[in-house]
Amino acid sequence: GVYERPLVEKVANTLAALGGVRQAMVVCSGDGMDELSIFAPNYAAYVKAGRVDYAVIDAHDYGLGDSDASALLADSADESAACVLGVLRGEGGARRKTVLLNAAAAFQVYGRVATLAEGVQLAQQSIDSGAALAKLSQLKAFTQREAGDMLAC
């Protein structure tokens, strides 16, 4: 994501011109976030096979709109990590909605789903089944193992 709307087109066109980029999405929210927001319309550029298509993504279209942006605030890295764990453990609210929308976009770009609506459903299933939390635990174990291996060199 980028922090202002004019950069969406610039970055998307650069990715398209570079070649070798199978698929990407560049986003900016109407409220200035560099990710998809549930509080304002989002401007997106889909890059695929050297072509760029533009869209406006509104969280309300997926039942994810919200109005309390302060719910996303965290005062420290530890608090932020606790928020992520809370979402993955099933807590609801604006944080979950934000994760669902951004995960949906990632699933779509990766080709796992055809639409954002399908991506939202897959993200919900992943969180609600515990699969997302299990994947985070696997990633944590892997990175700790790799860090240990690097220190042993």
Side-chain angles (χ1 to χ4, degrees):
V2 295
Y3 63 92
E4 62 183 4
R5 189 173 177 182
L7 292 175
V8 171
E9 184 176 358
K10 288 179 183 179
V11 171
N13 287 331
T14 299
L15 289 171
L18 283 173
V21 176
R22 288 190 319 209
Q23 190 162 300
M25 180 189 292
V26 182
V27 300
C28 176
S29 70
D31 55 4
M33 293 173 64
D34 61 353
E35 62 184 78
L36 294 175
S37 173
I38 61 171
F39 308 108
N42 300 280
Y43 309 100
Y46 291 88
V47 181
K48 188 171 185 176
R51 185 176 145 181
V52 181
D53 294 309
Y54 298 93
V56 174
I57 298 170
D58 190 328
H60 290 91
D61 294 341
Y62 307 97
L64 300 175
D66 209 308
S67 59
D68 184 14
S70 68
L72 297 184
L73 298 177
D75 292 326
S76 67
D78 287 341
E79 185 179 346
S80 183
C83 292
V84 170
L85 285 174
V87 168
L88 296 182
R89 289 182 177 138
E91 291 178 13
R95 291 176 178 145
R96 176 184 171 100
K97 291 176 182 180
T98 298
V99 168
L100 292 175
L101 186 59
N102 282 277
F107 287 142
Q108 186 181 28
V109 170
Y110 185 69
R112 187 84 189 270
V113 297
T115 67
L116 282 174
E118 291 172 359
V120 169
Q121 290 177 342
L122 181 58
Q124 288 171 330
Q125 292 167 359
S126 180
I127 290 171
D128 294 344
S129 70
L133 184 59
K135 189 56 71 177
L136 177 62
S137 296
Q138 290 173 352
L139 177 62
K140 182 179 175 184
F142 173 79
T143 56
Q144 289 173 342
R145 212 172 33 251
E146 290 298 309
D149 289 348
M150 287 175 56
L151 291 174
C153 291

